[in-house]
Amino acid sequence: MADTIQEQLTKYLADAHSIEEQALQQLRGAPDAVGDPQLAEIFRTHLVETEEHERLVRARLEEHDSDPSRLKDLLMRVGGAGFLLFAKAQPDTSGKLVAHAFSYEHLELAAYELLRRVAERAGDAGTAETAQKIRDQEEQMAKRLEDSFERAVDASLREVGRDDLHEQLNKYLADAHAIEAQAIQLLEKGPDLSGDPELGRLYEEHLEETREHQRLVEQRLDTRGGDTTGLKDTAMRAGALNWGMFFQMHPDTSGKLVAFAYAFEHLEIAGYEELKRVARKVRDEETVAMAESILASERAAAQKLYGAFDRAVDASLREVGVA
Ligand SMILES: [Fe+2]
Ligand SMILES: [Fe+2]
Ligand SMILES: [Fe+2]
């Protein structure tokens, strides 16, 4: 059944609202969970901004005689609480929190990029302006986190005890392997769900690169004498982004997929930025070089996805029958 563009716009607003609900849940818990006062402050600052985002998005929904979706908000709040539990259970809580938050800010950034485009197509200048304003704050938060990777790694190494740095590096490599396994699962869905041949090609291209990343990481771990036997069972160790549930909630998959893939690239970027710093501390130049080369590939992939947001909006509007 064909939807109107106005109906789509309120769905995008409700999605943005549920994303902010999850952000609130995470940001309320993060300051106490993180092992560094300056990192805690970064999270607290963005909590205040996020409370404002939630209000602004709710106001736009009310403008359209609509409400936040109680179900979506609830599911996302549960997801946020689950993630905090996951991070706290990890030995390197601070690093996991910062990496995930960096990724999450890019999920928000992408969601507002898409929302702005849908609002523009619907002739709703007020929503477009709000989306742009929030998007810019998400980007600034992402930048603050990006400037904090060193701090996050230091806090993590304090948390696990610094005396076994070589073993720690092997754990970072095993985590990178697990994240690549999740990336492969996600990208394998890409071509079918993309709704657009150009986007489909993008996912396929990066799937090939991702398999190569995973091979390189496994090789490094093997060369370093790390344990590679359990690697295949640890796909969910990354645990951070529960994309299975995310897709069930969101029928217009091309838009959601591109936003999610974009966020996932930033989870990988944060992971390799942290791994690179641990490798530097033990002067493992080969692992540093590997991380830098994979980082260049992840950043290029993220950039291409960013460039495809217009296509993704067109495809997802086509999927729901909006002309
Ligand atoms: Fe936000
Ligand atoms: Fe945010
Ligand atoms: Fe990637």
Side-chain angles (χ1 to χ4, degrees), residues 76-121:
M76 290 295 269
R77 275 200 296 270
V78 168
F83 173 70
L84 277 171
L85 286 175
F86 164 79
K88 283 185 197 166
Q90 299 297 306
D92 57 331
T93 300
S94 298
K96 289 284 194 295
L97 277 174
V98 168
H100 175 80
F102 180 71
S103 173
Y104 202 85
E105 292 309 318
H106 286 88
L107 179 66
E108 296 188 282
L109 195 159
Y112 287 107
E113 287 278 354
L114 300 176
L115 172 62
R116 178 175 59 77
R117 284 167 171 80
V118 176
E120 277 164 1
R121 283 166 175 65

Side-chain angles (χ1 to χ4, degrees), residues 20 23 27 46 49-50 53 104-105 108 134 137-138 141:
E20 296 294 353
L27 289 165
H46 197 53
E49 290 171 344
T50 301
H53 301 169
Y104 202 85
E105 292 309 318
E108 296 188 282
I134 299 177
Q137 287 192 352
E138 312 297 12
M141 175 59 176

Side-chain angles (χ1 to χ4, degrees), residues 37-208:
Q38 199 166 317
L39 290 172
E41 196 49 40
I42 289 174
F43 286 124
R44 268 189 220 105
T45 304
H46 197 53
L47 173 58
V48 177
E49 290 171 344
T50 301
E51 285 165 349
E52 172 74 0
H53 301 169
E54 187 278 324
R55 277 194 297 274
L56 286 169
V57 172
R58 187 155 34 84
R60 294 313 305 171
L61 275 165
E62 280 159 12
E63 189 82 12
H64 287 270
D65 295 318
S66 189
D67 299 311
S69 158
R70 263 193 265 167
L71 177 63
K72 278 182 189 173
D73 284 0
L74 175 71
L75 286 174
M76 290 295 269
R77 275 200 296 270
V78 168
F83 173 70
L84 277 171
L85 286 175
F86 164 79
K88 283 185 197 166
Q90 299 297 306
D92 57 331
T93 300
S94 298
K96 289 284 194 295
L97 277 174
V98 168
H100 175 80
F102 180 71
S103 173
Y104 202 85
E105 292 309 318
H106 286 88
L107 179 66
E108 296 188 282
L109 195 159
Y112 287 107
E113 287 278 354
L114 300 176
L115 172 62
R116 178 175 59 77
R117 284 167 171 80
V118 176
E120 277 164 1
R121 283 166 175 65
D124 178 351
T127 297
E129 202 178 301
T130 297
Q132 182 66 38
K133 179 186 159 177
I134 299 177
R135 175 232 173 268
D136 291 347
Q137 287 192 352
E138 312 297 12
E139 186 176 45
Q140 284 160 20
M141 175 59 176
K143 186 77 184 61
R144 292 196 286 271
L145 292 165
E146 184 158 28
D147 292 340
S148 308
F149 287 141
E150 189 78 37
R151 191 168 274 282
V153 164
D154 286 341
S156 285
L157 294 178
R158 275 199 303 277
E159 283 153 13
V160 295
R162 290 190 51 129
D163 42 329
D164 59 343
L165 273 184
H166 279 283
E167 197 186 313
Q168 282 310 310
L169 181 53
N170 287 347
K171 282 192 184 141
Y172 276 82
L173 283 163
D175 283 350
H177 192 277
I179 292 177
E180 296 293 1
Q182 271 195 306
I184 289 169
Q185 284 181 312
L186 175 67
L187 289 165
E188 279 173 346
K189 291 176 191 286
D192 283 347
L193 297 177
S194 66
D196 174 272
E198 184 69 35
L199 267 166
R201 261 196 302 282
L202 249 175
Y203 295 127
E204 261 168 35
E205 181 186 290
H206 195 52
L207 177 58
E208 286 313 304

Side-chain angles (χ1 to χ4, degrees), residues 180 183 187 206 209-210 213 261 264-265 268 272 294 297-298 301:
E180 296 293 1
L187 289 165
H206 195 52
E209 293 168 349
T210 301
H213 299 166
F264 204 90
E265 289 311 316
E268 300 185 274
Y272 285 108
I294 296 179
S297 161
E298 307 293 16

